[in-house]
Amino acid sequence: MTLVGRSRARGIETLSLDAPATRNALSAALVGALIDALTDCAEDPDVRAVVLTHTGNTFSAGADLRDPPAPDAFVALLRQIVELPRPVVARVTGQVRAGGLGLLAACDITAAATGAGFAFTEVRVGVAPAVISLPLLPRTDPRALTRYYLTGERFDAPEAARIGLLTATGDDVDAVLAPVLDGLRRSAPQALTETKRLLTARVLETFDRDAAHLTALSARLFSSAAAREGMTAFLERRDPAWVL
């Protein structure tokens, strides 16, 4: 089964998360397939930039609770996006939750349709947005993250743009991205690589400093009694025991 669709137009490689039956939840298999596809893009000199998008009405629902990736594998994916020697552009037309927001934060440019919705839902299932903080904390408004990390509230695309999670939003996301992709096609490949390296240096410092700690934290929380209750409640479509 193909979990990541691929197409190319004038040097832009589009990778589509293609597991709509699970709302593109980040399973071990989907994370592995995306790592493989990105590796191919990094090695192909004909790829000028990568667009990361999705099929179905959800970009990603976050970690697959039935088959979650190992925390270190997800860290490797996030770092691969940040370090990829090609710009990575996220294109969103639906909902994004939890770990899916980490994918957005790792990308260089992010755009979403105005109808898209976002939420850090980890606290509502008994865990924390640990690993995804590696790209999020250096790039996103800290006061806004405090609110949305702690409450799990849903917020819309204009708010996501205001806090730095999105580069731009509009009714037609492809119209929003058209000048972006045109600019990337007009830019020298080596110049894009070196410019991206300048822009991601601070993010990679966060990976170097905090990845081991946050990976261990994620593993500990996912194996906790609170997480078992939260995930069971989610799968059974009921409130967890701690809801007041």
Side-chain angles (χ1 to χ4, degrees):
M1 179 175 62
T2 301
L3 295 174
V4 177
R6 301 181 65 170
S7 63
R8 188 178 302 181
R10 294 177 54 212
I12 305 296
E13 184 86 358
T14 297
L15 305 180
S16 300
L17 304 181
D18 192 17
T22 60
R23 299 172 63 224
N24 293 318
L26 296 168
S27 64
L30 180 55
V31 167
L34 187 52
I35 287 173
D36 290 344
L38 289 166
T39 299
D40 290 345
C41 291
E43 295 173 350
D44 188 340
D46 293 329
V47 174
R48 180 67 52 84
V50 176
V51 170
L52 181 61
T53 189
H54 59 102
T55 61
N57 61 9
T58 302
F59 177 81
S60 176
D64 188 329
L65 299 184
R66 293 185 172 88
D67 179 29
D72 56 350
F74 190 44
V75 170
L77 171 60
L78 295 177
R79 181 159 193 149
Q80 182 183 29
I81 294 171
V82 174
E83 285 190 314
L84 203 79
R86 311 282 188 273
V88 182
V89 178
R91 174 190 176 276
V92 178
T93 61
Q95 303 303 306
V96 194
R97 300 289 184 267
L101 294 164
L103 292 182
L104 292 189
C107 293
D108 302 292
I109 297 171
T110 55
T114 49
F118 310 83
F120 296 99
T121 52
E122 289 89 347
V123 290
R124 299 195 180 191
V125 293
V127 296
V131 167
I132 64 173
S133 290
L134 292 166
L136 276 160
L137 290 177
R139 286 177 158 169
T140 311
D141 177 78
R143 298 301 287 177
L145 280 189
T146 298
R147 172 180 177 175
Y148 295 123
Y149 269 22
L150 291 174
T151 66
E153 293 171 87
R154 183 185 180 279
F155 53 99
D156 61 16
E159 174 70 352
R162 185 191 72 81
I163 69 175
L165 181 65
L166 294 178
T167 307
T169 183
D171 291 339
D172 183 343
V173 69
D174 293 312
V176 171
L177 284 176
V180 172
L181 300 183
D182 179 66
L184 294 174
R185 288 183 171 111
R186 292 175 181 274
S187 301
Q190 183 180 5
L192 287 176
T193 297
E194 295 303 326
T195 301
K196 174 169 177 172
R197 187 172 288 126
L198 290 172
L199 293 167
T200 57
R202 189 162 64 94
V203 181
L204 290 172
E205 288 174 1
T206 303
F207 274 80
D208 291 339
R209 185 186 67 237
D210 298 333
H213 164 67
L214 293 177
T215 300
L217 174 62
S218 180
R220 177 168 61 81
L221 291 174
F222 267 87
S223 64
S224 69
R228 286 193 294 275
E229 165 61 11
M231 294 176 190
T232 300
F234 177 82
L235 295 172
E236 293 178 351
R237 299 178 182 273
R238 61 172 175 81
D239 284 340
W242 59 73
V243 173
L244 300 176

